[in-house]
Amino acid sequence: MPRRKGLVKDMGDKRKVHGERRKESMERNLPGFFEAAASVDNVYAGVSFLLRFYGFYESLADGGRVLAEEPHEIWQTVCRTVKENFLEGFDGRRREEAVCTLMGLRRTVTDKMQVLTAYTDSFSLYEYMLNRVEPRFEENLCCPEDDAAAREILQYIFAEKDNLLVNIRIQQMLSQLPVRMSRGKFEELVRAGFEHYAGMDVSSVEEFVDRIESSAGLYEPAGMRQYFPELGEGLAAMREKDWKNMGEDDCKSTGEQFRELTKQLEEITDQYYSLMELVNPLCAWLLNYPYASAESAARMEVFFPLFRLICERALAGEYSILSGQEAELVAGTEGILEEFGPKLTKLQSVLSGFDEETEKTVEALMLAKQYSCIKSSALLLGNSLFADLDRCREEKQADRDYLKKAADNLVEKLLAAFSGQQAVHNRAMTAAVLSQLPVFFNSHNEVMDYVRGSLAGCHEVAEKAAGIRMMRELMRA
């Protein structure tokens, strides 16, 4: 059939007109959208920061938290940033310098938290080991019969119909029951875990590998040998213990040393984590402050007296619980996050739908800086506290060759670690890895067989009793 040239031309004209109208609509609406987004971010970030800021100050005032040197410096920097940028009048250059400073603090805290997380993973393995050695020296140690314990555990696993909850309980079981598994079977299960990621983004596979290496205590971030040397020395001491032949006195002193080290680890981790909870919303607030509406700015200025009071006391090193009148300002935040949370979600949803054409219009309207601030704020106020704001890479699918290489590398690392460790350490590592793999059981019967086989195959009473004891603690939680 011959082409209807008039119709083709008419359709082309309509598309052209539609495209021009869309562009005109964007040019007309984008400035208003960006102001609305900045205004919502301004209030949401500001109030989120205020609540964290007040809570952090109170924890110092009541003696519940004593800061180490670097966390104290970061806290002081946060206080100065608030004072100089919100309480002493707005200055564009000072704001840019403050944003750079906060971004630097984010990198510092992230680096330290990566090291602390690696220590947490490694110490978790020694906690597993210690829990299984300490019962050797208990008087009248009682271990339930295998069948009774298996029924109890299986009833817990399958008590719910929700498959997700069942899988979580299976992973709990794998992390605690005695491990009796050949190297070949373990390698097979690790390799099978990669099959779940066939056709998925490479980043998903990388996250899986990171999770396995972390749980196995194999992740060593930059700075691991530099930061927190007392933790490194303590970890090395744990590694040198003779866990198989450990006597009662050595077990007791090892337990005391372990608990002291993990207490230090928890305290310093809490400090850096809490500081990141301050830095993120403060940075988002600072990014959006100059672009927000006058109404949005005024809504935050109501709380400036409280900010001023906390900053003055903290920078002077004077901490005391705020009085009822002073604390009433905190009560004024009630309902604000609930009001602005849905608005934030809606605006971020629109933002995530921006295509290349929209971004070109943003550039043409000279809104690129504002757009960058709003995009960064979406990450700063998101669910991932340590989100990489600079991360930008093209995703590609993981094919079979990529998965095989990734599996080969991971298995090689795991087996190399096994060859240089004590047997009880290998069991701890195996249990930790198994608990991170996609659930590999295909039926209820396979789970039942594993539980019964795990208990029957363990001939060390202390280890078996410890595994059942830890499972019972999880059941009661």
Side-chain angles (χ1 to χ4, degrees):
M1 185 173 70
R3 292 186 178 182
R4 298 174 62 183
K5 295 182 180 179
L7 178 60
V8 172
K9 182 177 182 299
D10 184 50
M11 291 174 64
D13 290 343
K14 286 182 177 180
R15 281 196 294 269
K16 183 178 180 181
V17 170
H18 177 73
E20 290 175 350
R21 286 178 177 172
R22 183 173 183 270
K23 184 177 180 181
E24 290 174 1
S25 177
M26 281 195 296
E27 291 176 349
R28 188 168 57 250
N29 294 324
L30 275 175
F33 169 76
F34 280 158
E35 181 180 347
S39 300
V40 170
D41 283 353
N42 181 66
V43 175
Y44 189 88
V47 172
S48 297
F49 173 70
L50 172 59
L51 294 174
R52 296 288 186 186
F53 192 56
Y54 170 75
F56 198 94
Y57 172 84
E58 289 283 277
S59 71
L60 294 171
D62 66 17
R65 174 181 279 142
V66 179
L67 296 178
E69 182 178 355
E70 186 177 54
H72 179 263
E73 292 175 359
I74 295 173
W75 163 245
Q76 293 282 293
T77 301
V78 167
C79 293
R80 282 194 298 271
T81 300
V82 174
K83 179 175 179 288
E84 294 171 359
N85 289 274
F86 295 104
L87 307 180
E88 295 181 352
F90 178 78
D91 179 275
R93 182 176 179 179
R94 189 165 57 193
R95 168 188 168 271
E96 289 186 9
E97 291 174 351
V99 169
C100 289
T101 297
L102 291 175
M103 291 300 183
L105 291 183
R106 285 195 86 249
R107 288 189 289 272
T108 297
V109 175
T110 298
D111 289 346
K112 298 299 171 62
M113 280 298 297
Q114 286 177 339
V115 172
L116 290 168
T117 300
Y119 275 122
T120 298
D121 291 327
S122 294
F123 277 112
S124 292
L125 299 179
Y126 288 101
E127 181 180 34
Y128 178 101
M129 296 156 65
L130 193 59
N131 284 339
R132 281 145 185 81
V133 173
E134 286 180 328
R136 294 177 188 169
F137 310 107
E138 292 181 13
E139 293 183 8
N140 303 318
L141 177 64
C142 180
C143 184
E145 291 292 333
D146 290 355
D147 285 346
R151 284 195 299 271
E152 185 180 354
I153 293 167
L154 290 166
Q155 183 178 9
Y156 165 72
I157 291 174
F158 297 114
E160 304 291 340
K161 300 301 181 184
D162 185 340
N163 286 336
L164 178 60
L165 184 55
V166 169
N167 286 344
I168 290 173
R169 291 180 174 184
I170 287 174
Q171 290 174 323
Q172 289 177 336
M173 175 271 292
L174 290 169
S175 73
Q176 298 302 334
L177 289 193
V179 176
R180 294 296 183 270
M181 182 180 293
S182 68
R183 297 274 178 93
K185 180 62 176 177
F186 176 72
E187 178 180 344
E188 177 188 328
L189 291 174
V190 172
R191 291 185 180 280
F194 282 86
E195 296 177 4
H196 178 77
Y197 294 90
M200 296 178 68
D201 290 335
V202 166
S203 61
S204 297
V205 183
E206 292 173 345
E207 290 171 3
F208 171 65
V209 171
D210 289 345
R211 194 164 66 249
I212 296 297
E213 290 187 357
S214 294
S215 67
L218 299 180
Y219 175 57
E220 187 172 315
M224 184 79 173
R225 298 174 186 270
Q226 175 185 355
Y227 306 140
F228 316 112
E230 66 283 2
L231 294 177
E233 293 169 4
L235 190 63
M238 291 288 144
R239 192 177 294 118
E240 295 300 318
K241 299 287 184 181
D242 182 356
W243 291 87
K244 181 179 180 181
N245 302 306
M246 185 176 288
E248 185 173 0
D249 290 342
D250 193 15
C251 179
K252 183 178 180 181
S253 64
T254 299
E256 292 172 353
Q257 181 185 11
F258 175 83
R259 282 180 275 277
E260 180 59 33
L261 286 166
T262 53
K263 180 182 178 182
Q264 293 177 25
L265 176 58
E266 289 169 1
E267 288 176 352
I268 195 67
T269 299
D270 172 70
Q271 291 181 25
Y272 281 103
Y273 190 91
S274 298
L275 286 168
M276 189 63 106
E277 290 182 319
L278 290 175
V279 171
N280 276 358
L282 176 57
C283 192
W285 186 19
L286 202 56
L287 285 171
N288 288 281
Y289 185 67
Y291 302 111
S293 66
E295 179 186 0
S296 171
R299 193 152 187 181
M300 282 307 304
E301 287 170 5
V302 171
F303 303 109
F304 280 12
L306 180 58
F307 281 117
R308 188 179 307 279
L309 182 64
I310 293 176
C311 288
E312 288 177 351
R313 290 189 183 181
L315 291 172
E318 298 172 358
Y319 294 94
S320 58
I321 300 296
L322 299 184
S323 69
Q325 183 178 359
E326 295 160 345
E328 282 180 7
L329 283 171
V330 179
T333 64
E334 186 175 353
I336 294 180
L337 295 183
E338 290 76 10
E339 175 189 350
F340 278 79
K343 295 178 182 179
L344 182 75
T345 301
K346 184 176 180 180
L347 288 167
Q348 289 182 351
S349 177
V350 173
L351 194 68
S352 66
F354 276 23
D355 55 18
E356 186 176 348
E357 182 182 351
T358 306
E359 293 185 344
K360 287 180 179 178
T361 304
V362 169
E363 292 279 352
L365 294 174
M366 293 184 290
L367 295 171
K369 283 189 176 180
Q370 194 170 346
Y371 179 44
S372 177
C373 289
I374 295 171
K375 284 199 300 182
S376 294
S377 295
L379 293 172
L380 290 165
L381 300 175
N383 295 325
S384 180
L385 198 60
F386 299 92
D388 185 351
L389 305 186
D390 301 318
R391 183 176 180 179
C392 181
R393 64 185 182 188
E394 183 180 353
E395 293 289 3
K396 59 180 180 180
Q397 287 189 335
D399 57 23
R400 290 292 176 184
D401 288 341
Y402 175 85
L403 291 174
K404 184 179 184 305
K405 289 178 182 177
D408 288 344
N409 289 335
L410 180 58
V411 167
E412 183 180 353
K413 286 184 180 180
L414 292 169
L415 296 183
F418 283 158
S419 65
Q421 295 176 164
Q422 300 176 53
V424 66
H425 197 160
N426 288 344
R427 290 172 188 166
M429 182 182 290
T430 301
V433 171
L434 292 178
S435 70
Q436 296 299 319
L437 296 176
V439 172
F440 46 83
F441 299 110
N442 296 313
S443 66
H444 283 37
N445 286 338
E446 288 188 12
V447 179
M448 292 170 62
D449 290 342
Y450 182 91
V451 172
R452 295 182 187 281
S454 169
L455 297 175
C458 179
H459 302 296
E460 185 175 341
V461 176
E463 182 182 0
K464 184 187 299 188
I468 296 171
R469 182 181 298 171
M470 297 307 297
M471 274 304 302
R472 285 176 170 170
E473 288 187 10
L474 290 172
M475 294 177 198
R476 289 194 294 267

